[in-house]
């Protein structure tokens, strides 16, 4: 590029909360020149698409459908009663104050790294189901605040965790080296029955027929997969710059 003046300048490392709520990182249109005008256009299009029963096959309507499916995948009791003010940039305290996680679930999600959590699971301090529930709750709270997830499959995760607990009870040993450890994967990794859209509308609603090799390795090791997370929209920008 001849000049960097066309690049969007973001004043600090935090994406404003209001933008993260209205912008759909799951399904991106082509990179637009103005970040603010893109937000206004996206919000208007999504509102129009959601109010129309016969939605055209545009990225806006697909995004609206995916957002609706995401929200429906979250148990009602895990939905935030209210969202923070759009002027609030730091929402890290919400999981502790919203009342969705109990004291044990806060302990599980805040006081352990992966190694320590695996040890606690092996020592049966926590069951795999308790750990999976805690991480699922925390993940969907983050989703409601920042739109950080593409696919939410906590129902699968809880079934998987229960099966791991039953295996441990039956055999007296953990299923594998990652027994009961919740792990999220990036959206590019195929999980059977789920999309791998990587932010592209044309790839949405085309669920993978089988797991990626990495996903099968994690499952064989005893991990519990529960969500797929987004890619930064800046990846599209860097790809665009590289082609200039």
């Amino acid at each position: 590029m001849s000049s960097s003046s066309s690049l969007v300048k973001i004043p600090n490392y935090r994406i404003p909360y209001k933008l993260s709520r209205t912008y759909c990182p799951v399904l991106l249109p082509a990179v637009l020149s103005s970040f603010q005008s893109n937000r206004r256009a996206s919000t208007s299009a999504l509102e129009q698409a959601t109010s129309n029963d016969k939605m055209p096959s545009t990225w806006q309507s697909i995004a609206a459908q995916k957002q609706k499916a995401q929200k429906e995948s979250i148990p009602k009791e895990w939905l935030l009663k209210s969202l923070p003010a759009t002027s609030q940039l730091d929402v890290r305290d919400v999981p502790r104050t919203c009342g969705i996680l109990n004291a044990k679930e806060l302990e599980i999600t805040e006081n352990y790294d992966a190694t320590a959590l695996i040890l606690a699971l092996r020592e049966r301090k926590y069951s795999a189901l308790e750990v999976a529930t805690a991480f699922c709750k925390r993940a969907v709270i983050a989703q409601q605040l920042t739109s950080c997830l593409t696919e939410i499959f906590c129902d699968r995760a809880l079934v998987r965790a229960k099966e791991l607990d039953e295996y441990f009870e039956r055999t007296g040993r953990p299923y594998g080296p990652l027994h009961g450890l919740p792990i999220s994967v990036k959206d590019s990794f195929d999980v059977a029955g789920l999309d791998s859209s990587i932010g592209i509308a044309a790839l949405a609603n085309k669920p993978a027929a089988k797991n990626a090799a990495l996903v099968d390795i994690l499952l064989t090791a005893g991990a519990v997969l529960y969500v797929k997370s987004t890619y930064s929209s800046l990846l599209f920008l860097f790809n665009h710059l590289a082609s200039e």
Side-chain angles (χ1 to χ4, degrees):
M1 292 181 65
S2 59
S3 170
S4 61
S5 60
S6 62
L7 296 180
V8 176
K9 294 181 180 179
I10 301 177
N12 58 46
Y13 72 94
R14 296 192 189 98
I15 295 177
Y17 169 64
K18 185 174 183 179
L19 299 185
S20 70
R21 280 172 54 195
T22 56
Y23 186 62
C24 180
V26 179
L27 301 151
L28 298 171
V31 175
L32 301 179
S33 60
S34 169
F35 190 77
Q36 289 292 343
S37 64
N38 181 33
R39 178 186 66 83
R40 289 192 294 269
S42 298
T43 304
S44 174
L46 286 174
E47 289 173 350
Q48 181 179 3
T50 337
S51 64
N52 188 350
D53 291 336
K54 296 182 179 179
M55 294 186 288
S57 297
T58 62
W59 73 263
Q60 293 98 330
S61 67
I62 296 172
Q65 290 168 345
K66 290 292 288 186
Q67 285 182 329
K68 183 174 182 291
Q70 283 178 330
K71 187 170 182 179
E72 290 175 347
S73 69
I74 300 174
K76 291 182 179 179
E77 60 271 23
W78 295 357
L79 293 174
L80 294 170
K81 292 182 174 62
S82 61
L83 294 172
T86 54
S87 59
Q88 181 178 337
L89 300 184
D90 190 341
V91 294
R92 288 174 293 180
D93 283 338
V94 173
R96 302 186 194 100
T97 59
C98 67
I100 294 174
L101 292 103
N102 60 37
K104 179 182 281 189
E105 289 164 346
L106 288 171
E107 177 183 285
I108 289 170
T109 55
E110 294 185 358
N111 295 350
Y112 294 87
D113 61 16
T115 303
L117 189 54
I118 288 174
L119 182 60
L121 284 159
R122 284 175 172 266
E123 294 176 346
R124 302 194 183 185
K125 181 176 182 179
Y126 308 116
S127 69
L129 184 58
E130 287 175 324
V131 172
T133 300
F135 273 79
C136 284
K137 285 185 177 182
R138 192 112 188 184
V140 299
I141 291 170
Q143 165 65 10
Q144 292 169 77
L145 295 170
T146 64
S147 294
C148 57
L149 305 178
T150 56
E151 302 292 330
I152 303 167
F153 45 104
C154 293
D155 52 347
R156 291 194 194 184
L158 299 183
V159 170
R160 161 80 168 173
K162 185 178 179 182
E163 290 173 349
L164 291 174
D165 285 335
E166 291 171 350
Y167 177 88
F168 206 163
E169 185 67 28
R170 186 173 64 253
T171 65
R173 62 179 185 272
Y175 186 82
L178 300 182
H179 176 94
L181 184 68
I183 295 181
S184 65
V185 294
K186 280 295 185 183
D187 192 42
S188 60
F189 290 99
D190 284 347
V191 176
L194 302 175
D195 281 353
S196 298
S197 65
I198 60 170
I200 300 173
L203 299 181
N205 302 318
K206 297 178 181 179
K210 62 180 182 178
N211 293 332
L214 175 66
V215 169
D216 279 335
I217 290 170
L218 290 172
L219 292 175
T220 301
V224 177
L225 305 186
Y226 61 117
V227 293
K228 298 180 75 176
S229 58
T230 62
Y231 281 91
S232 170
S233 57
L234 287 177
L235 289 175
F236 288 83
L237 178 60
F238 294 148
N239 183 62
H240 172 71
L241 293 177
S243 64
E244 288 288 317

